[in-house]
Amino acid sequence: MKTVMKKVLLLGNFGVGKTSLVRRFVENTFSDDYLTTIGVKISRKNVILQEANTVVQMLIWDLEGKTATNTIPDTYLLGSAAAIIVADLTRLETLDSIPVHLDQFDRVNPGKPVLVALNKADAASLPEERKAALLSLPGVIDVEMTSAKTGLNVEKVFELTAHEVVSDA
Amino acid sequence: MSDFEKLRSLLVGDEIDAIEELKARVARLAEALDDPEEIIERLSPWIDRILERNIGLRREQLVDTLSPIIAEVLGHEIRNSGEAIARTLAPVIGQAIRVQITTQRDEVVDALYPVIGATVVKAVSQAFRDLLNRINDEMQNTFSVASLRRKLTAKIKGIPEADLLIRENLPWHVKSVFLIHKTSGLLLAQKNAEDSAMEEPEMVASMLTAIRSFVNDWISRQENESEINQIEYGRSTIYLEVAGSCYIAVVLEGVPQMTLAQKISEVLSDIVGKYGETIQHFSGDRAELDTEEIDRMLGAIFAVETQFQDSKEKSAGSRWPLAVMAVLLLAGAAYLGYRTYIRWEAEKTAAEIKAHFETDPYLALYRIEPSVEDGRIVLDGAVPDANLSSYASRWVESHFPKKETLNRLVVAHRPDPYLEKIRSLEAQLDAYRKIPAVHRTFYYGLGKSNLTPEQRRQLEAIGTIMQIFPEYRMKVTGFSDRYGTPQERRIVAQKRADGVKKILTSSMGIDASRIETAADLSLPEETNNTAADDAAARKVEIELLEGRKGSQ
């Protein structure tokens, strides 16, 4: 079984639950407040893809959420294989930032896949047509309702991402 | 008692007693005034009250009165009973300093700075002196090849020897080496020292990349083209060296030698030179890389340290006792002295022989080099005939009968070097003379009198010949096609010739007097008046002439 390393970005506004999602998912992470001064948390998770006979070693760059997304330097985004953009279903304005994150990611990593995780699905829901609208955004290959609290779809989002980065390469 | 006295006693007797008593009291008072002890005793119970009252009512006057003497009083008191004053003041000094610092921090800092600076310097220099003493002991007690080299380096570079020794003795240790993809932070290769283990190297690589990106992003807003190249934490340092699409991060402890930094960039440039392309397109699968070879290359960075340790151990092993060294030195000096004497004697002999040959009427013309080799006199050089050769060795044998003579004189008619030189110069001159006269024709477009860039380049090549050989001259003849009056045709032809001349004179600096121009109105002999014939008529002809004046 071969091992492939991939850099995966986690983007989203402040407080949407990115860090909680990662914490729910990963095996290893530096302590939560580590590197916050530079606005990055790095975690690792190995996902085994049986059918591709591959271990994907995902190096997840959790980029500090800012309301003004432009403050994330492009250099952090460089060389990413995919991005997971997280929004908070209980604060619908965080969904409006998704295209902004998407634009920045696509500008730096053109053509790379993006998954959208709509977090806090345990506390709120979203009309199907809004979900469909998100799915139609360029580059977005999937939109999932997640909950870091219950664990809903958390594994799924990261596993889908692993799948994408391997088949994309 | 008389009556008068009785009467007086009756009338004023009491007063007289009172007067007597008053007199006594006045006398006592006068006495008391002269005796300060008395005054003090009497006034002392009141002093407190007087002071109290004055402080209350006339505070300022009192301050004015007392302040001039306060310093004096204190100074006096400190001189007499300094210890007591110290005991009195001690409890408040700490507090006073604290107050002083909060209110006048800068003054305190300024005041203390020189003292603290000096204190630190003193402590540090003491520590260093101790270190130097130890090192000097070591230097004096041992004599080794390494120390000799160090002494030489110190002399040559002008660095104190002890400095070099410190640099050599500070320990350092490479713990880990990373090769990281620059933009994604993916770990390309990693190698640890045998005694170190690095957990989660992939995450460390990502973190380092994030830190690098952050710092570079931040710095690049301030200055252009800056790079972070070192991160320090505790005793460890991470050196970063970037090239191409990757960078090397070396985690080490202590202060490394310069050779390490050189090695790091050497290894990196090797890796980039060999695998730059592969690394640039690295997709995360290490199977794409020649990991074995890259590992081997990274290993070279650890090897610097091993070599360093080895050289230290080796130098430690090659310490010889001073006595042995001294004996060897003495023996060496004696041998050198003997060799010097032998050489001096040999040179003297050779010089004597040479001096004779230079004045000998038969030999003075020829270059004979006498020398002394291994005690034998050797004659080198060349003479025109065998008689002269044996004449030379006979003279040497008769004057230095104790020495063997080796005659290596060659009998040969050596060609005269000056003659040779002259011949070669003449040959070169002949070669120049053989450069054929250049004939060149440039054709012009209809109504044109400018050369094309290509023609201009060709003309300049001819001009170069003129620059090199000043005796060459040039004849430029302009022609025109059949159209126009003779006058018009002459103007056009002349203009073409002048254009050529102008290029040579103004842009190549050739003297105008060497170029002769002319306008020729003749047409090509076999013309059928076709367009091609016309084109062939629009031309200049250039002739390069070996034109020493009059020989044209």
Side-chain angles (χ1 to χ4, degrees), chain B residues 267-279 290 293-294 296-297:
Chain B
V267 167
L268 185 59
S269 77
D270 282 356
I271 290 176
V272 171
K274 222 165 164 182
Y275 305 110
E277 192 84 357
T278 321
I279 289 173
D290 184 353
E293 177 64 8
I294 290 178
R296 196 190 59 75
M297 289 162 106

Side-chain angles (χ1 to χ4, degrees), chain B residues 137-398:
Chain B
D137 284 351
E138 192 191 337
M139 287 196 294
Q140 277 156 15
N141 293 335
T142 56
F143 191 93
S144 65
V145 177
S147 81
L148 196 64
R149 196 180 48 215
R150 194 189 310 118
K151 277 176 204 295
L152 280 173
T153 314
K155 273 274 178 297
I156 292 164
K157 293 193 175 168
I159 305 167
E161 193 186 345
D163 275 15
L164 290 175
L165 201 62
I166 290 172
R167 212 173 292 169
E168 282 175 19
N169 280 293
L170 285 175
W172 56 279
H173 177 48
V174 176
K175 289 162 82 179
S176 195
V177 176
F178 291 76
L179 181 69
I180 303 170
H181 191 254
K182 191 167 76 176
T183 49
S184 66
L186 297 178
L187 184 65
L188 298 163
Q190 197 249 342
K191 219 172 151 62
N192 288 323
E194 279 165 18
D195 58 347
S196 314
M198 184 65 68
E199 279 178 30
E200 293 287 357
E202 282 85 7
M203 283 214 292
V204 173
S206 290
M207 262 177 47
L208 283 174
T209 308
I211 294 170
R212 231 197 108 243
S213 301
F214 174 76
V215 176
N216 287 346
D217 192 68
W218 187 77
I219 290 173
S220 66
R221 279 184 232 148
Q222 332 267 320
E223 305 156 36
N224 292 330
E225 300 295 320
S226 294
E227 265 291 342
I228 175 174
N229 46 31
Q230 191 168 326
I231 301 169
E232 283 178 19
Y233 65 95
R235 276 201 71 213
S236 299
T237 306
I238 303 175
Y239 278 88
L240 304 177
E241 176 88 27
V242 186
S245 312
C246 59
Y247 66 96
I248 277 185
V250 177
V251 183
L252 59 89
E253 272 181 355
V255 183
Q257 291 179 302
M258 293 289 282
T259 45
L260 182 72
Q262 286 162 12
K263 192 72 197 176
I264 293 173
S265 42
E266 204 179 294
V267 167
L268 185 59
S269 77
D270 282 356
I271 290 176
V272 171
K274 222 165 164 182
Y275 305 110
E277 192 84 357
T278 321
I279 289 173
Q280 193 187 342
H281 300 110
F282 182 64
S283 75
D285 184 356
R286 283 199 205 112
E288 295 164 12
L289 304 167
D290 184 353
T291 42
E292 219 168 279
E293 177 64 8
I294 290 178
D295 264 18
R296 196 190 59 75
M297 289 162 106
L298 292 180
I301 293 171
F302 292 94
V304 175
E305 184 186 351
T306 320
Q307 284 158 10
F308 169 68
Q309 305 293 3
D310 283 357
S311 74
K312 272 186 76 177
E313 274 160 28
K314 215 186 288 168
S315 72
S318 66
R319 283 171 190 158
W320 296 333
L322 205 54
V324 174
M325 214 51 220
V327 169
L328 285 177
L329 273 177
L330 277 175
Y335 177 67
L336 277 178
Y338 171 70
R339 287 295 305 246
T340 310
Y341 169 74
I342 295 288
R343 198 160 57 223
W344 172 78
E345 204 210 6
E347 276 167 12
K348 192 169 147 258
T349 308
E352 206 176 311
I353 298 169
K354 193 169 171 140
H356 169 75
F357 285 170
E358 278 170 357
T359 51
D360 186 297
Y362 294 106
L363 298 172
L365 280 174
Y366 311 103
R367 236 183 305 152
I368 302 173
E369 288 297 333
S371 60
V372 179
E373 286 174 17
D374 300 329
R376 288 185 305 183
I377 295 171
V378 181
L379 300 179
D380 281 305
V383 286
D385 66 63
N387 287 336
L388 281 174
S389 172
S390 55
Y391 172 78
S393 53
R394 268 203 311 281
W395 186 88
V396 174
E397 278 158 11
S398 63

Side-chain angles (χ1 to χ4, degrees), chain B residues 470-482:
Chain B
E471 73 266 31
Y472 278 93
R473 300 175 65 245
M474 184 186 274
K475 185 173 181 194
V476 186
T477 311
F479 295 83
S480 73
D481 57 24
R482 61 199 159 94

Side-chain angles (χ1 to χ4, degrees), chain A residues 72-142:
Chain A
I72 295 176
D74 283 354
T75 45
Y76 286 176
L77 276 63
L78 282 170
S80 307
I84 299 170
I85 299 179
V86 186
D88 180 353
L89 285 171
T90 65
R91 290 187 295 139
L92 289 181
E93 74 274 13
T94 62
L95 269 72
D96 298 337
S97 300
I98 292 175
V100 182
H101 293 295
L102 197 60
D103 280 353
Q104 190 188 8
F105 178 75
D106 197 58
R107 183 161 43 77
V108 180
N109 301 289
K112 296 288 177 192
V114 174
L115 277 87
V116 174
L118 302 172
N119 201 25
K120 306 193 188 173
D122 54 292
S125 63
L126 191 73
E128 274 304 312
E129 65 268 23
R130 285 236 35 199
K131 200 177 152 187
L134 288 172
L135 201 48
S136 71
L137 289 171
V140 175
I141 52 144
D142 192 28

Side-chain angles (χ1 to χ4, degrees), chain A residues 36-94:
Chain A
T36 43
T37 40
I38 67 166
V40 181
K41 280 176 212 161
I42 287 158
S43 316
R44 178 178 65 76
K45 169 77 178 184
N46 289 359
V47 175
I48 298 167
L49 300 176
Q50 290 294 350
E51 73 279 23
N53 196 31
T54 303
V55 179
V56 186
Q57 189 172 85
M58 296 171 81
L59 288 147
I60 303 165
W61 290 47
D62 176 0
L63 300 187
E64 192 174 52
K66 294 261 172 70
T67 34
T69 47
N70 286 339
T71 54
I72 295 176
D74 283 354
T75 45
Y76 286 176
L77 276 63
L78 282 170
S80 307
I84 299 170
I85 299 179
V86 186
D88 180 353
L89 285 171
T90 65
R91 290 187 295 139
L92 289 181
E93 74 274 13
T94 62

